[in-house]
Amino acid sequence: MSRGWLTLAAEVAGAMDAGGPVVALESAVLSHGLPGEEGRALSIRVDALVREAGATPALVALRDGRAHVGVRPEDAGFLLSKGVMKVAERDLSVAVGIGHSGGTTVSATLAIASAAGIGVMSTGGIGGVHLGEGTGDVSADLGALCRYPVVVVCSGAKAICDTRKTAEALDSLGVTVVGFRTGWMPAFLARSERVAVPHRADSLGEIASIATAKLEMGSRTALLVVQQPPEETALEESVQDRAVAGAIARARAARVEGAALTPYLLAAILEATDGRSLGSNLALLEENARLAAAIAVELAVRDEPAGR
């Protein structure tokens, strides 16, 4: 089904028309975040996990100037092509107007999911306030989180971000942050107990009640649900800290900046952790998709008309 610049896959449109649970999935992690074959395999696993939980997966991506919601894993090969854009919210009009293809970041996925009427999305980690004094590097994800009333499941801010400053920014922007079965903000690849979250919820029912209350009150900000990465694959926090510090130092020495910086840092962290960061990243992406699907199912059940 097409709505101007937006195309919903028939499966997604059907699920939404029936009031069924749908989970939006960002695609920049496939186009720019993971090695090609790892990304392809991940998309298949995440698709299956969301379906097993009873929801419909809706991978979001730009293709030839159209925002597609519900790209199937077998059709997502174009995201691995050389030259595809990394599309943030600010880039959407350019991509649509000129006809680009690209993977959507959290900010762009939020904007598209909201336009499509999807209320839940999953990602690995949000962008935040980047590490380093005086960098002034603040992700557009934070601004999007205060504009779109979507439930976003993640494992905190990406490893290259300052967890404390990101939490403070979310607070200033009025974004509701809830820890799922944790009272602490996760450190993405590592479990952490450094920065407390404002609220904790220990059940899907509590998360659904908070999300429902936000909508009924007319809130226009996201509900950010954070959970710690799986314990069996998480890095030790000190290991992540050293890897990130070393990666930042290498980037400065090599004078890497702009759009090339994040991919450079992620590659350096992968090298510094002997590949462990990739395993942690993949595991938390899967776990977050599973939780997002469970939340979407809980919300859909609550919305069912009596006697249906």
Side-chain angles (χ1 to χ4, degrees), residues 8-118:
L8 274 64
E11 179 186 29
V12 173
M16 293 181 66
D17 287 344
V22 177
V23 177
L25 303 166
E26 62 124 323
S27 55
V29 67
L30 305 180
S31 62
H32 291 81
L34 294 171
E37 289 309 310
E38 290 288 355
R40 191 189 301 272
L42 173 73
S43 66
I44 294 171
R45 291 197 301 273
V46 166
D47 187 276
L49 285 170
V50 172
R51 293 180 189 280
E52 287 170 10
T56 299
L59 180 65
V60 176
L62 269 291
R63 187 166 193 178
D64 299 327
R66 295 193 65 82
H68 289 264
V69 179
V71 178
R72 296 296 297 267
E74 60 267 28
D75 299 324
F78 71 94
L79 289 168
L80 307 179
S81 302
K82 186 176 180 180
V84 297
M85 288 180 67
K86 183 178 182 180
V87 183
E89 183 185 11
R90 68 173 188 184
D91 308 311
L92 282 173
S93 58
V94 176
V96 171
I98 298 178
H100 287 311
S101 297
T104 55
T105 66
V106 170
S107 67
T109 306
L110 267 170
I112 294 169
S114 183
I118 298 173

Side-chain angles (χ1 to χ4, degrees), residues 70-228:
V71 178
R72 296 296 297 267
E74 60 267 28
D75 299 324
F78 71 94
L79 289 168
L80 307 179
S81 302
K82 186 176 180 180
V84 297
M85 288 180 67
K86 183 178 182 180
V87 183
E89 183 185 11
R90 68 173 188 184
D91 308 311
L92 282 173
S93 58
V94 176
V96 171
I98 298 178
H100 287 311
S101 297
T104 55
T105 66
V106 170
S107 67
T109 306
L110 267 170
I112 294 169
S114 183
I118 298 173
V120 180
M121 74 163 281
S122 175
T123 186
I126 61 168
V129 180
H130 281 218
L131 287 162
E133 292 295 327
T135 64
D137 193 346
V138 179
S139 172
D141 293 353
L142 297 180
L145 286 164
C146 74
R147 286 193 295 274
Y148 300 110
V150 175
V151 179
V152 180
V153 178
C154 71
S155 291
K158 290 182 173 67
I160 57 177
C161 297
D162 186 309
T163 301
R164 188 173 302 279
K165 290 182 179 178
T166 299
E168 291 170 352
L170 289 165
D171 182 42
S172 297
L173 292 168
V175 177
T176 304
V177 181
V178 176
F180 183 66
R181 297 176 181 167
T182 182
W184 303 95
M185 183 71 77
F188 189 49
L189 301 175
R191 299 170 76 88
S192 179
E193 293 186 359
R194 291 179 182 174
V195 180
V197 291
H199 309 284
R200 172 179 176 141
D202 290 309
S203 69
L204 295 173
E206 289 177 289
I207 295 291
S209 292
I210 295 167
T212 300
K214 279 181 69 69
L215 288 176
E216 289 177 348
M217 295 169 67
S219 173
R220 298 302 302 170
T221 64
L223 169 56
L224 187 67
V225 178
V226 300
Q227 68 171 345
Q228 301 287 351

